[in-house]
Amino acid sequence: MQTNEYNSSSTFSMCGDGGENFKITQSQISVPTDGTPGGYPSIYRGCHWGNCTKDSGLPIQVSSLESNASQVRLSYDTQVSASGVWDDAFDIFYTPCNDHGVSQSSCTQRTQPDREMMIWLSHNGPAIPSGNATKVTIAGIDFNLWWDGTTMWYVMTSPSLSNPRVQNLDLGDFIRDAVNRGYIPSPSWYLMDIEAGFEIWQGGAGLQASSLKICTPSPVGCEGA
């Protein structure tokens, strides 16, 4: 679990009980809504800027996720409110190397930036990706899809403003779409990190992640983050 307040120095706190859940208890974050959010409080599995969780089942090569259905599945239950400016989202990272810069290797990661995939379950306020959206349907769910050259945003077209949730969402469906569009440059790349939380531009107190399950192949299997 991480507060991850990277673009704000305002009072902010969150709490959890040691499980795969948390609640934002205080937030005075207030940053312009046409720029970077103040923070992304979240839970993650994998490697976040070199900080790697133990026995995560990651990295996994993209080619394996394309060809083998339901290897990585996401279940997430949240509670939100129609106040403040925020999104309720997964943030997922892909790299050309399987070490995410943690160790020295012959991989030329510096020549190719990471790719970031965001899946927005809900959002409130004016902060949305810039540019023109493409309508797509994945796993029977309608999304607006934005792309800026390094980040792709799959934004649900009918978000809930009370209790956004997904059950056994197959990440492979999104990966196949992203590879087909060229957003992930090659199936030889790796899924490195899966995060779930809230990007916050303004407010955010009371936003809550009630439960999270990230299913990956062994050694972890289908357990909490």
Side-chain angles (χ1 to χ4, degrees), residues 34-114:
D34 59 352
T36 303
Y40 178 63
S42 52
I43 308 174
Y44 76 90
R45 178 188 288 184
C47 291
H48 176 87
W49 298 100
N51 294 315
C52 301
T53 59
K54 184 179 179 181
D55 295 330
S56 68
L58 302 173
I60 303 174
Q61 198 159 39
V62 165
S63 58
S64 176
L65 293 165
E66 280 189 294
S67 58
N68 300 307
S70 298
Q71 275 206 92
V72 177
R73 302 187 310 280
L74 310 175
S75 297
Y76 191 38
D77 190 356
T78 61
Q79 296 179 33
V80 300
S81 61
S83 62
V85 182
W86 49 264
D87 64 56
D88 180 0
F90 292 105
D91 198 5
I92 302 163
F93 289 88
Y94 304 86
T95 72
C97 309
N98 66 359
D99 59 13
H100 207 215
V102 175
S103 63
Q104 298 295 319
S105 73
S106 60
C107 181
T108 56
Q109 183 166 324
R110 291 184 183 86
T111 67
Q112 187 75 265
D114 295 358

Side-chain angles (χ1 to χ4, degrees), residues 181-196:
R181 296 175 188 276
Y183 296 173
I184 297 176
S186 169
S188 67
W189 278 42
Y190 293 87
L191 165 64
M192 291 299 302
D193 179 39
I194 301 172
E195 310 185 11

Side-chain angles (χ1 to χ4, degrees), residues 4-10 29-32 35-40 200-201:
N4 200 20
E5 187 185 4
Y6 55 87
N7 187 40
S8 168
S9 58
S10 299
I29 290 175
S30 182
V31 298
T36 303
Y40 178 63
I200 299 173
W201 287 262

